Amino acid sequence: DSGVTQTPKHLITATGQRVTLRCSPRSGDLSVYWYQQSLDQGLQFLIQYYNGEERAKGNILERFSAQQFPDLHSELNLSSLELGDSALYFCASSVRPLAVQYFGPGTRLTVT
Amino acid sequence: GQQLNQSPQSMFIQEGEDVSMNCTSSSIFNTWLWYKQDPGEGPVLLIALYKAGELTSNGRLTAQFGITRKDSFLNISASIPSDVGIYFCAGQFGGATNKLIFGTGTLLAVQP
């Protein structure tokens, strides 16, 4: 158990819908990262937050957004969902930028 | 999205055999990490490497940070059935962004 929690574990929704994925980092970690894992693209970095502020952006679509709240939990919002958005979404946390990242168990999103 | 070249893509071995896998990149990294992922779970950190030439062990696992900082390898000695899973390398640039660039993964199957 990495100490990073993610909810829900599974999510099934229809195209065009909007979903919110939630992540609670390990106790004491200030930095949160979101990654997407798909069969064709592998594990891809989406976005990073540090102490409530966006720190870095990766291959995140404009339909996706994220935020980190004062209690340090983070949410990833995916809107206007398409079939290709079906993937595993992982959250990771680290005590500070450049420190080792620990991954949560992931949320499996299926868009039908 | 960017992925590191990882080989072999898959390995099917007998229990007790040694395993070697490697990862190469066209980019120079500050840190190399090796993760293991079990089905339906998030990546779990195995070894982190911080200096070119560094050789680090974690039980039966040994990893090295290449001299050129563009490659890394992971060895598993005396494999056991619970070593089954997908192994990923990841490179980290450091600096303003802490994002991880992941390898394509090596699927390891161990036959008792």
Side-chain angles (χ1 to χ4, degrees), chain A residues 9 33 35 37 40-45 48 55-56 59 88 90 94 96-105 108, chain B residues 1-3 31 33 35 37 40-45 48 50 88 92-103:
Chain A
K9 187 143 179 79
Y33 314 77
Y35 291 84
Q37 186 177 36
D40 55 344
Q41 293 288 319
L43 267 160
Q44 296 289 327
F45 168 75
Q48 175 194 1
R55 181 85 177 212
N59 304 314
L88 271 166
F90 289 105
S94 66
R96 60 186 178 278
L98 303 185
V100 170
Q101 297 175 32
Y102 294 89
F103 282 75
R108 180 175 293 279
Chain B
Q2 185 182 2
Q3 284 186 280
T31 303
L33 305 108
Y35 286 87
Q37 186 177 22
E41 302 294 328
V44 174
L45 181 68
Y50 299 101
F88 290 97
Q92 188 172 58
F93 291 109
T97 177
N98 195 26
K99 70 177 182 180
L100 296 177
I101 308 295
F102 279 89

Side-chain angles (χ1 to χ4, degrees), chain A residues 28-39:
Chain A
D29 284 0
L30 300 180
S31 206
V32 168
Y33 314 77
W34 287 96
Y35 291 84
Q36 181 192 57
Q37 186 177 36
S38 62
L39 281 175

